[in-house]
Amino acid sequence: MPKVAVVTGANKGIGFAIVRGLCRRFKGIVYLTARDVERGKQAVSNLEEEGLKPNFYQLDITDPFSVEKFRDYVKDKYGGIDILVNNAAIAFKCDSKESVAVQAEQTLFVNYFSLVATCDILFPILRNGARVVNVSSSAGHLSNIPSEELRNKFKDPNLTIEGLSKLLQKYINDAKKGNQVAEWGLSSYSVSKVGVTALTKIQQKLVDDRDIKVNAVHPGYVDTDMSSHKGPLSIDEGAVAPLFLALDAPETVRGEYVWFDKRIVSWDGKMPGTGIC
């Protein structure tokens, strides 16, 4: 059976560049997945024009039935997954007209809760020795949470996924009441990515016995639609650290929070300098 790499949310931006890098270097089958079929197929066509050969599969991480269909397809055709890059995410713009409550619920639903559900479905078909890359952000550094009490809950070594999910549901509930800022800060996106980084550390503990490596990555401030094209890094530069974790990182790199320049950063320590902005 050939090895298989999967990238979610990959029809543009960093996800697209990760697929490009995998197609160039990974000795196996690479799946570019996206919610929108036409955009996904166009992305594959663009890479084919570069002489690369990704495969496309329609995948909506917010729909468990879509993820289950993909799981069954991959399991039947290849037997499992060797690289999983969880890249799909959303972010509201600063001038968004949606209420804080709506932004909180929708952002956490896609960026955290749908990620948890996707991993629940796909992790059982990860092959032993697989690598998982959860795309986080500098916004996912624990220092972005103002409340010391909450920070201590996030970094509790005994925290479970169930406990983490309850903690993040509390954020949504607080946002609906309008009293979230003092403890959680101003950004739903930041809370969601803190959740992603915390989840990564819990997941690593759960799969250690299968020699699976799960790491979170801040790809840098990249010139994408999500950053309103304000980031100084190209999408290929933004793919460097995710590809490092997917292909090159030492076996000892597990449950870590890695930045765009391949630094392993202390998640619950002082926010490091970015070097780019």
Side-chain angles (χ1 to χ4, degrees):
M1 286 285 192
K3 289 189 173 183
V4 176
V6 176
V7 185
T8 68
N11 62 280
K12 62 180 180 178
I14 297 169
F16 177 83
I18 293 170
V19 171
R20 176 189 276 143
L22 288 170
C23 285
R24 288 173 174 168
R25 296 191 49 214
F26 179 61
K27 293 179 173 59
I29 307 296
V30 180
Y31 271 90
L32 182 157
T33 73
R35 181 174 56 181
D36 187 291
V37 173
E38 293 308 313
R39 290 178 180 176
K41 288 182 176 179
Q42 182 59 56
V44 166
S45 177
N46 292 342
L47 290 171
E48 287 174 342
E49 290 178 4
E50 299 178 19
L52 305 175
K53 297 181 179 179
N55 290 269
F56 174 69
Y57 200 97
Q58 192 274 337
L59 178 63
D60 180 355
I61 68 160
T62 69
D63 179 1
F65 294 107
S66 175
V67 184
E68 288 170 355
K69 181 181 177 184
F70 179 64
R71 174 201 62 198
D72 294 343
Y73 168 81
V74 172
K75 185 178 179 181
D76 292 344
K77 191 171 180 67
Y78 305 106
I81 294 172
D82 301 277
I83 293 174
L84 174 61
V85 182
N86 290 306
N87 172 71
I90 65 167
F92 285 87
K93 301 299 183 184
C94 293
D95 60 355
S96 174
K97 299 298 189 290
E98 283 85 357
S99 68
V100 171
V102 168
Q103 291 187 39
E105 190 158 49
Q106 293 186 8
T107 303
L108 271 290
F109 171 64
V110 176
N111 295 2
Y112 174 77
F113 288 103
S114 293
L115 172 61
V116 170
T118 295
C119 291
D120 284 346
I121 294 166
L122 295 182
F123 269 35
I125 67 165
L126 290 175
R127 284 194 259 258
N128 290 351
R131 293 185 175 214
V132 178
V133 181
N134 292 330
V135 178
S136 183
S137 167
S138 60
H141 192 276
L142 191 56
S143 64
N144 288 296
I145 302 297
S147 165
E148 182 179 3
E149 181 181 354
L150 284 175
R151 292 197 302 271
N152 288 335
K153 289 180 179 179
F154 273 110
K155 65 183 181 181
D156 182 346
N158 297 313
L159 184 64
T160 62
I161 293 177
E162 181 183 9
L164 177 59
S165 295
K166 287 181 179 178
L167 191 58
L168 292 173
Q169 183 60 51
K170 182 181 183 301
Y171 165 70
I172 295 172
N173 296 340
D174 287 348
K176 288 180 177 179
K177 296 173 186 174
N179 61 3
Q180 84 287 358
V181 175
E183 291 191 320
W184 297 93
L186 294 168
S187 171
S188 292
Y189 181 77
S190 183
V191 173
S192 75
K193 290 301 187 178
V194 169
V196 169
T197 314
L199 174 68
T200 299
K201 294 182 175 296
I202 299 170
Q203 287 176 329
Q204 182 61 67
K205 296 175 184 177
L206 297 176
V207 297
D208 255 341
D209 61 342
R210 297 170 58 196
D211 191 31
I212 294 171
K213 277 70 72 177
V214 188
N215 291 286
V217 63
H218 161 44
Y221 194 28
V222 179
D223 179 4
T224 64
D225 288 349
M226 187 174 283
S227 72
S228 298
H229 299 282
K230 294 178 181 178
L233 299 181
S234 70
I235 58 172
D236 289 307
E237 289 172 320
V240 167
L243 288 167
F244 167 72
L245 289 172
L247 298 171
D248 303 315
E251 294 288 310
T252 53
V253 179
R254 299 168 182 241
E256 300 288 2
Y257 179 46
V258 175
W259 276 34
F260 65 96
D261 54 6
K262 304 177 188 177
R263 278 183 294 167
I264 294 177
V265 167
S266 173
W267 176 57
D268 57 357
K270 182 180 179 181
M271 172 76 85
T274 64
I276 58 169
C277 63

